[in-house]
């Protein structure tokens, strides 16, 4: 479970048995045609896969450079890519004979996806969510409760994702016999990063077929926002060996480069290697190694760690990491909805902002694919406030 110097599993001994159980269940399921058939059936019939690869003619003309395509993970059931992973892990929970799932959430997309799948699979569900995030993503919280999930407000620390993750891990430490910790992103101890990346890879595998079918080649360049790193892993990993396909990850530049104003772990040399929350990766930490507060207008990118897979691929130069500031993110969001009639999540708008910066300077025959990881319904009040402040 190592990716270069990152990854591994640094967890309390009491979790070893559950970790091993998940590892074996995952290894077996990956090679079980029945599991894979059920997984694809639920992805198609419950979540609505395959998601379209949408050409943006107006934006392409507007920028006068690269041809712009969107991978529409916003069209998954629940409105984000999170559903891909939750269905996968939900079927694994049934296979392990467990009755309860625990999850952390920030943007609420992972939370609502977990509550939806728990309802469908008849599992008990507890969601940990920072009190600040509950406030700024309330539409998702309302439905989680209607679905029968227990939503636990986390009031420690900055009351955002990192704190919710710590609380979820605490619960799992004492309930691991009957509960599964359904992590929402490609972080945490082995095998979570690999497992979440595996389930999310349905995104890139579909793009491999759709790009050749729609424009006769693989994309020249892929863009994805990076919070925990799961939608980026999902789009990028199926193209890893196709060296001509470039990959750009976009982090949250927030309000500025002062500690606490952003969530930039990999670009701009702002993160440092560290070990926390069960794994080794690049974290935002102070000189003493204490995890720092982060900020982003997008709750889903407001996280202090990052996938060890993304950290490693960035270190070896396979992924170029950049970042987008809150203002550019809101501008990218409103440009997409005005030009193409698609309302993106603020997280996904970071990938848009990164691509829109490059598009005008790229040759006209360049094909770029941007991962539209989610829809913007949950962000109504945040966007309203941001455009009002302009
Ligand atoms: C629409 C949308 N796009 C991107 C992200 C960033 O998560 P990754 O894809 O794992 O980097 C997110 C992250 N959302 C999580 C959530 O809904 O709980 C996030 O807050 C945490 C699980 C990291 C998201 O909702």
């Amino acid at each position: 479970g190592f990716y270069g110097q990152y990854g591994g599993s640094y967890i309390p001994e009491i979790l070893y048995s559950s970790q091993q159980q998940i590892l074996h269940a995952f290894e077996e399921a990956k090679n079980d045609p029945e599991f894979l058939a059920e997984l694809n059936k639920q992805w198609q019939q419950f979540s609505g896969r395959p998601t379209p690869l949408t050409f943006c003619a107006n934006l392409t003309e507007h920028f006068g450079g690269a041809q712009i395509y969107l991978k529409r993970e916003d069209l998954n059931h629940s409105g984000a890519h999170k559903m891909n992973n939750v269905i996968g892990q939900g079927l694994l929970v049934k296979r392990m004979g467990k009755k309860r799932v625990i999850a952390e959430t920030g943007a609420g997309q992972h939370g609502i996806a977990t509550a939806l799948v728990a309802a469908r699979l008849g599992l008990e569900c507890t969601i940990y969510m920072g009190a600040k995030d509950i406030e700024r993503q309330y539409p998702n919280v309302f439905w989680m409760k209607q679905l029968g999930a227990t939503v636990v407000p986390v009031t420690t620390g900055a009351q955002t994702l990192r704190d919710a993750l710590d609380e979820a891990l605490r619960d799992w430490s004492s309930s691991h016999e009957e509960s599964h910790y359904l992590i929402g992103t490609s972080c945490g101890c082995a095998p979570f990063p690999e497992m979440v990346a595996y389930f999310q890879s349905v995104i890139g595998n579909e793009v491999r077929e759709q790009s050749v079918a729609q424009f006769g080649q693989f994309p020249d360049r892929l863009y994805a926002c990076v919070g925990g790193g799961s939608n980026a892993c999902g789009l990028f990993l199926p193209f890893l060996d196709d060296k001509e396909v470039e990959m750009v990850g976009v982090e949250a530049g927030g309000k500025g480069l002062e500690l606490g104003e952003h969530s930039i772990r990999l670009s701009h040399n702002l993160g440092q290697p560290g070990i926390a929350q069960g794994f080794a990766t690049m974290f935002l930490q102070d000189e003493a190694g204490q995890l720092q507060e982060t900020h982003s207008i997008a709750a889903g990118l407001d996280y202090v760690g990052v996938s060890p897979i993304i950290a490693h691929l960035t270190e070896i130069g396979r992924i170029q990491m950049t970042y987008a500031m809150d203002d550019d993110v809101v501008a990218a969001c409103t440009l997409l909805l005005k030009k193409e009639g698609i309302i993106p999540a603020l997280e996904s708008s970071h990938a848009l902002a990164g691509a829109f910066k490059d598009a005008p300077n790229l040759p006209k025959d360049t094909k770029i694919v941007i991962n539209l990881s989610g829809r913007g319904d949950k962000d109504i009040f945040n966007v309203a406030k941001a455009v009002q402040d302009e």
Side-chain angles (χ1 to χ4, degrees):
F2 270 95
Y3 308 91
Q5 61 171 308
Y6 305 116
S9 64
Y10 303 85
I11 51 175
E13 195 146 340
I14 44 165
L15 289 177
Y16 282 178
S17 60
S18 285
Q19 180 199 29
Q20 290 308 310
Q21 187 191 19
I22 296 167
L23 190 62
H24 296 135
F26 175 52
E27 288 305 321
E28 278 167 23
K30 264 197 312 189
N31 300 304
D32 176 354
E34 271 180 40
F35 177 87
L36 297 177
E38 181 62 20
L39 177 62
N40 280 292
K41 183 177 148 212
Q42 293 302 332
W43 273 344
Q44 285 157 25
Q45 296 181 14
F46 180 55
S47 186
R49 300 207 71 88
T51 57
L53 186 62
T54 304
F55 179 53
C56 296
N58 301 333
L59 275 177
T60 300
E61 190 189 339
H62 172 80
F63 288 115
Q67 300 190 16
I68 298 169
Y69 289 81
L70 303 179
K71 180 57 175 164
R72 303 293 304 283
E73 293 306 296
D74 59 311
L75 294 180
N76 275 297
H77 176 35
S78 80
H81 68 294
K82 295 294 172 184
M83 184 53 85
N84 304 330
N85 163 55
V86 173
I87 288 177
Q89 287 198 52
L91 293 176
L92 220 47
V93 171
K94 299 295 279 185
R95 194 181 174 89
M96 293 190 289
K98 293 203 169 181
K99 299 280 176 269
R100 176 175 177 256
V101 290
I102 305 163
E104 86 295 331
T105 194
Q109 287 306 132
H110 175 58
I112 193 166
T114 304
L116 288 162
V117 169
R120 188 171 175 82
L121 298 181
L123 300 169
E124 214 190 304
C125 176
T126 301
I127 306 285
Y128 288 91
M129 191 166 186
K132 179 182 162 192
D133 285 336
I134 287 184
E135 195 188 306
R136 63 179 174 171
Q137 307 283 217
Y138 197 70
N140 282 335
V141 178
F142 174 77
W143 289 120
M144 287 179 224
K145 292 179 174 173
Q146 296 304 309
L147 285 155
T150 305
V151 179
V152 179
V154 175
T155 53
T156 48
Q159 308 184 24
T160 57
L161 186 82
R162 181 196 113 201
D163 319 291
L165 215 142
D166 286 340
E167 286 303 312
L169 277 173
R170 231 167 255 140
D171 179 331
W172 192 38
S173 300
S174 59
S175 67
H176 56 91
E177 294 293 320
E178 75 285 351
S179 302
H180 172 68
Y181 173 41
L182 208 160
I183 195 163
T185 189
S186 47
C187 288
C189 66
F192 286 127
E194 182 205 345
M195 183 163 71
V196 176
Y198 172 84
F199 288 128
Q200 289 293 355
S201 294
V202 62
I203 301 172
N205 285 324
E206 286 179 2
V207 172
R208 286 177 70 86
E209 285 177 31
Q210 291 168 316
S211 56
V212 171
Q214 288 178 227
F215 48 83
Q217 62 166 84
F218 284 161
D220 296 297
R221 190 179 289 189
L222 306 171
Y223 289 86
C225 65
V226 178
S230 70
N231 88 87
C233 282
L235 179 60
F236 293 171
L237 295 185
F239 289 98
L240 218 45
D241 300 334
D242 305 290
K243 297 299 178 208
E244 73 283 4
V245 180
E246 292 180 297
M247 302 164 173
V248 180
V250 187
E251 298 181 281
K255 295 191 171 71
L257 301 188
E258 294 306 310
L259 212 45
E261 289 188 330
H262 62 80
S263 305
I264 300 174
R265 289 83 18 117
L266 292 173
S267 40
H268 227 73
N269 291 321
L270 292 173
Q272 283 91 27
I275 295 174
Q277 300 189 321
F279 69 121
T281 190
M282 292 291 270
F283 286 101
L284 280 171
Q285 41 198 323
D286 65 13
E287 309 73 57
Q290 287 304 317
L291 300 186
Q292 290 306 292
E293 303 311 347
T294 53
H295 163 76
S296 167
I297 191 170
L301 303 185
D302 194 346
Y303 178 50
V304 73
V306 67
S307 175
I309 302 170
I310 301 284
H312 172 59
L313 290 174
T314 302
E315 192 162 272
I316 63 172
R318 182 68 183 92
I319 295 176
Q320 303 148 44
M321 288 301 292
T322 182
Y323 59 89
M325 310 303 287
D326 285 355
D327 296 350
D328 296 333
V329 166
V330 174
C333 170
T334 44
L335 185 66
L336 178 71
L337 60 90
K338 284 193 168 71
K339 286 282 177 190
E340 299 288 345
I342 295 169
I343 304 176
L346 284 171
E347 291 82 5
S348 326
S349 301
H350 285 72
L352 294 172
F356 293 172
K357 215 159 80 182
D358 297 342
N361 316 319
L362 291 169
K364 286 187 183 307
D365 63 351
T366 314
K367 312 278 191 311
I368 65 175
V369 171
I370 308 164
N371 218 3
L372 203 75
S373 54
R375 65 178 187 222
D377 305 51
K378 67 177 173 66
D379 296 320
I380 300 172
F381 306 113
N382 305 310
V383 177
K385 187 175 174 306
V387 294
Q388 222 167 3
D389 292 353
E390 256 166 26

